[in-house]
Amino acid sequence: MPGTVLLVAAAPVGKGRLVDAASVLPVLAAVPPQTLAGTPTASIVELADPLDPQTVLTRLRAAAMAPGPLTIYLIGQVHLDRRQRQLHVALARTTTATVRYTGFPWHWITQELRLRPAGTTTVLADLHTDPESWQALTAHPLDAGPAVALYGRIAPPSRRRTPATPAYMKALATILRSGHRPPLLQLHQHAAAQSLGEDAQDLLPVHDPGAPPAAAPVPAPPPAQQADAGMDPHAAITAAVEAGRHSEASALAASWEQSALRMHGAGSKEAIHWMEVRADLARFAGDPARSCETWLAVASARLTAGQAPDSPEVEAAADRAHHLWDRVRDPEAVRGLGPALVALRRRVPGRQRGTLLLAQRRLEQFHTQQVG
């Protein structure tokens, strides 16, 4: 299948810039697209010094929904939100004080990639740090999710006053310019040897789940039988989605959710996980109204379980509900979901300003159309 390549080079404008991220893009652009993707044909999306986290999220989401292999080349710097201790990739407007609002949360990457089949997604990263983020990453190494292959380097804080060069990514691009793409681990090792020498502490912990053997698209057994057999429910759901059997995928997720409710109770992380899976499956099936309704339920469940309105998980659920509601075109569905979304936005405005006002205006617009 055709591959998809997402090139993201991001760094703040001004004195907060630790790395000249965009300098590597011309070298990567000289590499044939199919070599970047490791597929016979490929499409490329490039983001150079993006300003807005929502723009990055939109491109990442579109790339994650592509059916073929996905390779993400990420060059930039990471910082901690000092309030919630969450890691963010800095964007053009990011400063130390505004990282929570202007940076791109790392957990958005894992969230968007989590339903992709194992063996189809690769992240190659060249990231730079400040002292605070370096210390946090030393204690909790970076990962992109269990199904995603992650290779690259994270550079420790530099004493230089000028932005650093993304040496690892430039070495990697130089290797690929030959038109030959070696196996990922070999490619990573060659790039590391050329750019880092023996400084192994800069290297990301390599994670590559590998491609699972192809499975015949047969209905999966009930959750209890799957658990007894050591089966992965996500693999069965992914197989159903890829075969276009969206109703079956949704039924599987609902079955696992009911099992989680019985075993762990409402508001448990296991039950909420399967609610989130159902919400994503509704989006894949082209049903934004049902996806919005489910994300609203996720946000409510997290709040009821005691999570703070400004926690990343609650904000993410509210943002997704709002995003899907904006995609609903049926007036009755818009009016039906709107009051719950407005109520949620009063409690969870999120990182973007004006979300409550935007929701109120759209709901009023559809009520006006109904009266007219």
Side-chain angles (χ1 to χ4, degrees):
M1 297 183 69
T4 301
V5 176
L6 180 61
L7 305 179
V8 183
V13 175
K15 63 180 182 180
R17 176 169 291 207
L18 303 178
V19 58
D20 188 5
S23 66
V24 76
L25 288 178
V27 189
L28 286 169
V31 179
Q34 62 271 24
T35 305
L36 288 172
T39 56
T41 60
S43 59
I44 297 180
V45 177
E46 180 180 305
L47 290 174
D49 285 329
L51 299 174
D52 178 30
Q54 289 298 325
T55 299
V56 181
L57 178 60
T58 299
R59 301 296 173 84
L60 173 62
R61 182 168 289 164
M65 293 182 68
L70 169 63
T71 306
I72 300 173
Y73 293 82
L74 176 61
I75 312 102
Q77 58 194 69
V78 288
H79 298 278
L80 277 182
D81 161 24
R82 291 177 176 173
R83 181 177 177 183
Q84 295 184 333
R85 312 297 295 175
Q86 297 288 329
L87 200 67
H88 293 66
V89 177
L91 303 184
R93 295 173 178 164
T94 300
T95 65
T96 303
T98 66
V99 63
R100 181 168 182 261
Y101 303 98
T102 59
F104 188 79
W106 183 265
H107 71 267
W108 284 7
I109 297 176
T110 58
Q111 182 83 12
E112 295 301 321
L113 300 181
R114 65 181 179 168
L115 286 184
R116 288 186 56 82
T120 66
T121 312
T122 303
V123 176
L124 293 158
D126 190 336
L127 300 171
H128 292 245
T129 62
D130 58 12
E132 197 171 15
S133 56
W134 174 256
Q135 183 177 8
L137 286 166
T138 301
H140 302 286
L142 204 63
D143 78 88
V148 178
L150 177 63
Y151 295 88
R153 59 113 30 143
I154 296 183
S158 173
R159 295 180 180 179
R160 298 189 307 174
R161 295 185 178 180
T162 57
T165 298
Y168 171 85
M169 193 62 70
K170 282 194 172 182
L172 189 148
T174 301
I175 296 169
L176 293 176
R177 283 181 66 177
S178 67
H180 170 64
R181 178 175 174 171
L184 281 170
L185 180 57
Q186 185 179 344
L187 173 64
H188 166 72
Q189 291 172 338
H190 288 176
Q194 292 184 23
S195 61
L196 306 178
E198 299 299 322
D199 190 5
Q201 72 167 0
D202 283 11
L203 298 181
L204 278 168
V206 172
H207 173 72
D208 192 340
V218 296
Q225 294 181 26
Q226 290 192 32
D228 291 342
M231 295 176 63
D232 178 8
H234 297 88
I237 290 170
T238 298
V241 172
E242 289 179 339
R245 303 192 308 273
H246 296 286
S247 296
E248 178 186 323
S250 180
L252 284 170
S255 177
W256 277 91
E257 182 183 340
Q258 290 303 312
S259 178
L261 285 169
R262 289 192 298 270
M263 294 179 64
H264 305 285
S268 65
K269 64 179 182 180
E270 293 83 1
I272 290 175
H273 167 75
W274 288 110
M275 292 173 67
E276 292 177 335
V277 171
R278 284 198 300 106
D280 280 338
L281 291 174
R283 174 167 61 91
F284 293 151
D287 190 344
R290 184 157 54 92
S291 184
C292 170
E293 183 178 21
T294 311
W295 279 118
L296 287 170
V298 169
S300 176
R302 288 191 177 278
L303 289 167
T304 302
Q307 289 188 243
D310 63 348
S311 67
E313 295 84 2
V314 174
E315 287 185 343
D319 289 345
R320 284 171 171 78
H322 200 154
H323 173 78
L324 272 300
W325 185 64
D326 284 341
R327 299 296 180 271
V328 177
R329 294 293 175 261
D330 177 59
E332 185 175 349
V334 171
R335 289 190 289 267
L337 294 166
L341 181 66
V342 169
L344 177 62
R345 278 310 195 189
R346 287 197 175 98
R347 294 189 66 185
V348 189
R351 294 154 45 97
Q352 302 297 312
R353 294 172 181 168
T355 55
L356 173 60
L357 182 59
L358 289 172
Q360 289 173 326
R361 285 178 175 174
R362 185 167 193 251
L363 184 58
E364 289 171 1
Q365 177 187 358
F366 275 80
H367 277 299
T368 302
Q369 291 175 358
Q370 182 184 33
V371 174

